[in-house]
Every structure is written in C-alpha cells, then in structure tokens.
Amino acid sequence: MGAPLVTDGFDDLGRVLRSTVLEVLPGAGPGGTAFFVAPGFALTCAHVVGGREGEVLPVRWDGRALTARVVHAAPSSPGGRPGWSPPDLAVLRVTDAPAGHPCVWLGEQPPPEGTPLHTVGFAGEHATAESTPAWPRSAGPQGVRGGTALRLRGDELAKGSPGSPVLDLTTGEVCAMVQTTHRPGEADGGLAIPLAELRGLPIALLRELWRGHDRHHGADGSWAYAIDRLRDRRTETVRPEVAELLDPAARLPVLRATEEARLRGLLARLPVAEDAYQLYERACGGPAAPMPAQPLLDRRDVIAALDDVARARRGELHPLLVLATELMPRYPAAERAVLRAWIDDLAVRLGQRGQLAGHTTAWTPTPAELPSVLLEVTPAGHDQQRYLLSMSVYRSRDDVRCLAQQDEPIPLPELEAALRRLLRLGLGHLGWGRRVMVELTLPPELLDLPVDEWVLDHDPVPLGLVRPVLVRLADDEDSGSRPEAEERWDALSADADGMSFAAVGCGVDVGPTWFYAHLTRTNPAGVLLPGPTTDRARRTLLEVALRAGPPVALWSRVGCERHDGTGGTGGCRGEAFLADLAPRLRHRPIGALPLDVRQLRAAAVEARDENHCGHRLVLLWDNPFRRFRGSSTLDAQW
C-alpha cells in the first residue's frame, strides 16, 4: 500500500470515515462495502447487492451483525453486459442501525485531476472484517457507457472496495464511491461513481436522505469542525483573494462548514415544501436573480446556490443572511432563537451588522395572474417525426424566462419522456403549486397529446386534476397579427356578458370556406368541436377558426362511434358532448376558462362518467400575452 499522503489534522477525518463503513456480506451480489450517509441509511453499488430492490441482506458494522434492505438500486441488472452501467448506485435502509452512529459528510463536486483522496474498504479476498485504507489521487473523469466515472490512480484498492466512500482531502467531503478496482494490466487504482449521481434518485428518497444527513451534522458538528480546520490550513499558506485569482473555481465559500451544518440542520426540521426557487429569488432580491448552477431540488440547495452568488453588493445584506431572515417566521420560538443567533454571528463575521439592522424584505411578490410552465414543441424542419423543445416559466407579462432548449431533435417515441423532464424542471422552479398552469404550444398533429392525463413523480394524480393544463397551436404567421390579437383578448376580457361560442355539429359537413365566413360574421370568442383533432377535417376547421380570430377552442379526445367511421349504432356522443358543455361555459369570463376546465375534468372523474363533458376535455386557450420567448432570448445568466 502507498504511504499516507497527509497526516496531522487530516487524521480526524480518516478516523471518522473508517467508523462509517459497513461490510456487505456476499448474497444476491458479490458483497463489498457500504457507508452511512444518514441515520439508518447507507450507500453502496448496485452490483454489490445484485441490483435487487427489496432484497434483505446481512451487513456488519463495528463488529456487529446488522440487517439491511435494498430500497433503491439503479440499474437493477447489468443488462447483458459483463459490467454494470452507470449510475451503479444502491440505497440501503439498515433496519437495526444503532442510535447515534456516525455518517459521512456528502459533497457533490468532483475532485480535479491530481486531488489527493482517501478511501476505506474491506479486503474481500482475505475474508476479514478489517477495513483497508487506500490513498489514491484523482485522475480526472472517464466516460463509461453514457455516464461519467472518476478515475483513481496511485494506490491499490482492496478487492472488496466497491461501495467504499471516497474522501476529498482538500475539501473534507465524501465526493464519490468506489465502483471497481484496477483492471487487468493496470497496477493500481480503479473507477469511482461521483455522488452527484444521487440527484437521479426518486425525489422523495433523495429528500429523506438529505434531511437525515443534515439533521445529523446539524446536531453533531465534529465533521464540519474538521472541514473548517482544513480550510483554515489552506488560508495559512495562500490568502483567499490570491487563491481566487489563481483558480476562481477554488474560492472558499462564504459559510464555514460549521455554519452551513447548523443552517442546513435547521432547514431539515421544516416540513417539506416546494418553495426552493421562491426562497432563492427572494434572497437575491427578486426575479432578476441569476440562474443557479444546478436545479434546486430542495431548500438545502438554496444555501449552495447563494454561496455561489457574487459577494453582496456594496451596502446590501448578503443573500445568505436575507435567506435566514426570510425563514425566521416559519419556526417555533425555541428554534427561532437558534436561527436568530446564527444570523447575528454571521452578520458580525461578515461585518454586516448595520445592514442587518436596516434590512427589510427587498421583494414581496404580488402576482396578479397565474404563473405557468410554457412548453413549446416544433417540428425539426419538415420532419414531423422529430421535434425541437423549449421550456420557459411565466410569472407576468414582463417576466417570461426561457430555462431550457433542446437543440438536438427528439424522435416522436422519446417525446413524452423529454417533455416530462422539462415539466419537472419548470414546475420545480415555480414551486409545484396547484395554481401553476401548464401551457403547451404544439404542432397540429400533436394537439391531442394527453398531457393532462400524465402522472408526475410529485403528484399521485393526473396533472390536469392538480393544475390547469391547456394547449395552443404553433403560430406560423408573422408577428404583425400580435397587436390585433392582444386588442381582441383585452376586449374579450372586459366583456361583462362573458363568452359566446360557435359549435360544429357532430357529423355535419362544414366546409372551411363557409366556416371562416360564418365566424367572421358572428365573431364568437371561441369554437366547440365534438371530437378529437386527430380527425383531419376537424383539425382543418380548428385551424380555420384560429385564423378567423377566436382565441379559444374546446373539444373531446373521445370520438363519436356513430360519426367517426367505426360503425357504432348507439347515440351520438359528439352531440351529447356539445349539449353538456355549452351551457356550462355560457357567460363565463375568458380568464376563468383554465380553472373551469380543471374543475370539469375533476367532476368527470368524481362522477365516474366517461360521457361527462369533462372526460378527456381539451382546452386551447391562446392568450397572446402569455407567449414563449424566441430561441434567441435564452438568457445565459439563467
């Protein structure tokens, strides 16, 4: 084995690291090592436990026999390959873990090439319960089957090392987990899994792990104290401002590790809520906040994001202190006193007691309309089987931000998965609230895409029951029609008599020329169609209607057997749909339609009635003020 690269204060972390490792005994998998990351939870490689979720297996910690259950494993099998693909990650729940056991301090930043590392795993081939240390160095990233692994070089890893924690000796954080020892023909080292892969866990499990991790380190500050000692040593040799000039990515965070542990421990005591982006923006002074470097999946991410924000503007309170003051009212008296003391201590250290004394909330949002996730799907050229995607978030007419653009065309079979990913990102940004709308601009052939029926991870019920979901047709006209559309929308919004509709009868042969002339003469606010737009003639009438000016249309995705060519002999479902829907919408204001349609969908489900007009109801609601930003407006700061 290579000699230790560091001693003195680093030994504190080496000792506590060794106290967190468990031996995973062979069973469904070959066995190896695991390590505690939160009270009762441990991480290891999926291949170490055979990738079988629900598997109960024996583990050993500090000489004690314990029992663990695999609550998550990805992938679940090697997929016919000799080795396991990324992320090769498993989460164990140790059912009889002793109270007060130690846990590692997790980090998500991969170590740069040359960084000294430390890991502890079980020897395996010697059938011994003794853990074996190694002192490799980072050899940089390596692509592995669509993922990225961390190469390790400079020391030999024990055969039972897969699943071992990898400690970054420059930051004091466990940043990776050993996946493989050296390959044939290589003298030492191996591959490790960066712990940023944890963000691929199911969100509920990820939060449970992080909250347990943060509560542990908030109560036991020994690891955080050791990290602060490491940082202090760094500043003894190179002043922080000089280190930042030499390597901007290496600048020291604003918070000391002990301060961060206390704040995150307090955050972990609050009930789970989807307000991470709102907290981040409030701390930064409002919607003009820069885009965080990574998605804010939980409130704890806000702390790291604010520590990445440039130092506070001259004369203003640092965003981290703003965040803490925003959180004050959420706690009971005892915890509020702890947070108050934390705020005072940090303000003194940063020299901002005066700014703290004069601080008031810099931004109080007063939303006058519903926020939205705006998704746009456009064909890639003339290929109607491949699409380009973009996602924006809408808070007001003056605050529409494009957060994601898909530059590579998405094949039709992969479209739903790609849209789901963008939806999660957008809803996470706006807080997953029930009054957040989902608006989709779609090409004509996709208008009946059943997005309102999708179930996302955060909601156990279909999307369209939780929040308003609506569509609009991709605009292929020039922007010269925009002022006219906005003027018409404002007039409809101000109409005290509500909306009027033109209906297309089921089975009635209406030509596009006649329909355009009829709409021009009667000037309705919207049109009602009796069935899905997958019917080409019906879709043509919809496009004609939108060109004639009405900005609203509603239809059912369920066809009429009697008139849609399927030979049905029962009643006319299309006419029944129109007769049921029209009176429910009569005299309703145009702005209320998204919420009205959500209520109709809920009523259909509650009644268990597939003939209810709310069953598979589609709303096209083309508010010209709620538009997607053009592709050139993607803000690099976001």
Side-chain angles (χ1 to χ4, degrees):
M1 294 291 178
L5 300 174
V6 288
T7 54
D8 192 18
F10 294 96
D11 290 342
D12 296 341
L13 288 176
R15 281 192 295 271
V16 70
L17 184 72
R18 288 192 292 274
S19 71
T20 67
V21 297
L22 305 94
E23 184 178 16
V24 180
L25 302 178
T33 305
F35 56 100
F36 281 119
V37 295
F41 283 97
L43 291 183
T44 189
C45 295
H47 81 264
V48 166
V49 296
R52 295 170 59 177
E53 292 185 4
E55 183 78 17
V56 176
L57 46 91
V59 297
R60 191 157 46 212
W61 176 77
D62 194 26
R64 309 183 204 183
L66 303 175
T67 302
R69 182 170 63 86
V70 182
V71 296
H72 177 81
S76 58
S77 76
R81 298 173 180 268
W84 290 60
S85 300
D88 197 5
L89 180 69
V91 180
L92 310 181
R93 188 188 295 271
V94 184
T95 53
D96 47 359
H101 67 75
C103 301
V104 304
W105 179 289
L106 292 171
E108 297 184 87
Q109 294 302 315
E113 187 171 350
T115 300
L117 306 171
H118 177 46
T119 185
V120 179
F122 288 90
E125 69 269 24
H126 303 303
T128 175
E130 290 296 322
S131 56
T132 304
W135 305 83
R137 286 182 176 270
S138 167
Q142 175 173 316
V144 179
R145 295 176 187 164
T148 302
L150 174 69
R151 293 184 297 155
L152 307 178
R153 293 286 184 270
D155 202 355
E156 184 179 356
L157 303 178
K159 184 177 179 181
S161 288
S164 303
V166 177
L167 177 67
D168 183 332
L169 292 174
T170 65
T171 66
E173 300 176 338
V174 170
C175 61
M177 174 174 64
V178 175
Q179 182 186 30
T180 66
T181 58
H182 67 84
R183 291 178 288 187
E186 296 179 350
D188 56 27
L191 296 177
I193 302 162
L195 289 187
E197 292 285 357
L198 288 174
R199 289 183 166 261
L201 293 177
I203 189 67
L205 177 59
L206 178 63
R207 285 178 172 155
E208 189 175 4
L209 287 182
W210 277 125
R211 289 166 73 84
H213 171 277
D214 291 348
R215 283 192 294 265
H216 170 83
H217 289 291
D220 179 356
S222 57
W223 196 304
Y225 177 72
I227 291 176
D228 282 340
R229 289 181 63 195
L230 288 182
R231 293 176 181 172
D232 289 342
R233 276 190 208 90
R234 177 175 154 192
T235 59
E236 288 172 4
T237 55
V238 182
R239 296 196 314 275
E241 59 271 23
V242 175
E244 188 169 341
L245 286 173
L246 295 174
D247 181 4
R251 76 170 172 82
L252 291 173
V254 172
L255 290 182
R256 295 177 65 82
T258 45
E259 294 168 337
E260 180 182 336
R262 288 168 60 197
L263 182 57
R264 281 188 167 155
L266 284 168
L267 268 181
R269 298 182 194 178
L270 290 175
V272 173
E274 306 289 351
D275 61 350
Y277 279 94
Q278 288 91 330
L279 283 172
Y280 173 75
E281 290 186 354
R282 289 175 74 91
C284 290
M291 182 64 177
Q294 63 182 5
L296 306 181
L297 301 182
D298 194 58
R299 292 191 190 119
R300 73 182 312 275
D301 291 339
V302 179
I303 299 172
L306 293 178
D307 223 336
D308 284 341
V309 170
R311 301 293 195 266
R313 293 181 291 271
R314 186 179 299 277
E316 294 186 12
L317 197 63
H318 193 282
L320 284 163
L321 287 168
V322 178
L323 168 70
T325 57
E326 290 285 347
L327 293 171
M328 284 278 289
R330 307 189 185 197
Y331 289 96
E335 291 175 338
R336 195 179 308 150
V338 175
L339 183 56
R340 178 79 255 179
W342 185 94
I343 293 170
D344 291 340
D345 290 345
L346 182 60
V348 169
R349 187 170 68 77
L350 297 182
Q352 291 202 310
R353 294 185 67 183
Q355 290 91 332
L356 178 62
H359 172 69
T360 57
T361 301
W363 173 57
T364 302
T366 54
E369 46 190 337
L370 298 182
S372 287
V373 177
L374 307 174
L375 292 169
E376 184 171 21
V377 181
T378 55
H382 296 291
D383 186 351
Q384 294 190 353
Q385 295 298 308
R386 296 168 67 83
Y387 299 90
L388 299 175
L389 310 182
S390 70
M391 185 273 289
S392 303
V393 291
Y394 174 99
R395 286 191 178 84
S396 70
R397 296 183 183 185
D398 300 320
D399 186 4
V400 186
R401 301 185 180 193
C402 185
L403 299 189
Q405 288 182 206
Q406 178 67 51
D407 295 326
E408 287 294 322
I410 301 294
L412 183 60
E414 300 175 15
L415 181 63
E416 179 176 336
L419 285 174
R420 284 175 177 269
R421 286 193 295 270
L422 291 179
L423 265 175
R424 292 187 188 98
L425 175 61
L427 289 171
H429 187 87
L430 293 174
W432 291 88
R434 293 179 66 249
R435 293 179 67 82
V436 175
M437 299 205 301
V438 175
E439 303 185 54
L440 299 105
T441 293
L442 300 169
E445 70 274 10
L446 295 181
L447 284 173
D448 282 318
L449 193 69
V451 177
D452 55 286
E453 298 180 22
W454 292 354
V455 176
L456 300 183
D457 297 341
H458 290 69
D459 296 318
V461 295
L463 191 66
L465 297 187
V466 180
R467 51 186 60 85
V469 178
L470 53 99
V471 302
R472 61 164 55 94
L473 187 64
D475 186 3
D476 60 355
E477 297 187 52
D478 59 38
S479 59
S481 62
R482 177 70 62 81
E484 181 181 343
E486 291 177 351
E487 182 179 346
R488 181 184 179 94
W489 189 272
D490 282 338
L492 289 170
S493 300
D495 192 344
D497 294 332
M499 298 183 65
S500 60
F501 288 91
V504 177
C506 190
V508 176
D509 186 11
V510 175
T513 301
W514 179 90
F515 194 45
Y516 187 92
H518 174 70
L519 295 176
T520 302
R521 185 182 62 81
T522 57
N523 196 31
V527 297
L528 305 181
L529 303 176
T533 60
T534 51
D535 177 88
R536 185 172 295 275
R538 198 172 288 135
R539 190 163 73 222
T540 298
L541 292 181
L542 174 64
E543 294 181 72
V544 166
L546 296 177
R547 288 181 181 275
V552 171
L554 296 102
W555 65 89
S556 171
R557 282 197 298 270
V558 180
C560 174
E561 293 182 356
R562 188 171 185 179
H563 293 111
D564 284 356
T566 55
T569 58
C572 177
R573 191 191 185 284
E575 290 298 336
F577 167 78
L578 295 173
D580 188 12
L581 181 63
R584 297 175 186 266
L585 300 179
R586 193 172 295 130
H587 306 308
R588 293 294 295 157
I590 193 170
L593 276 180
L595 292 173
D596 287 347
V597 167
R598 188 188 70 178
Q599 290 295 98
L600 288 173
R601 290 169 177 150
V605 172
E606 182 184 27
R608 297 186 175 89
D609 182 4
E610 293 187 356
N611 292 314
H612 190 287
C613 67
H615 178 62
R616 309 198 75 188
L617 178 62
V618 182
L619 168 65
L620 186 151
W621 192 74
D622 193 10
N623 183 336
F625 295 103
R626 305 172 72 97
R627 293 282 188 171
F628 294 90
R629 300 178 68 175
S631 59
S632 62
T633 60
L634 182 60
D635 190 342
Q637 297 299 314
W638 274 78

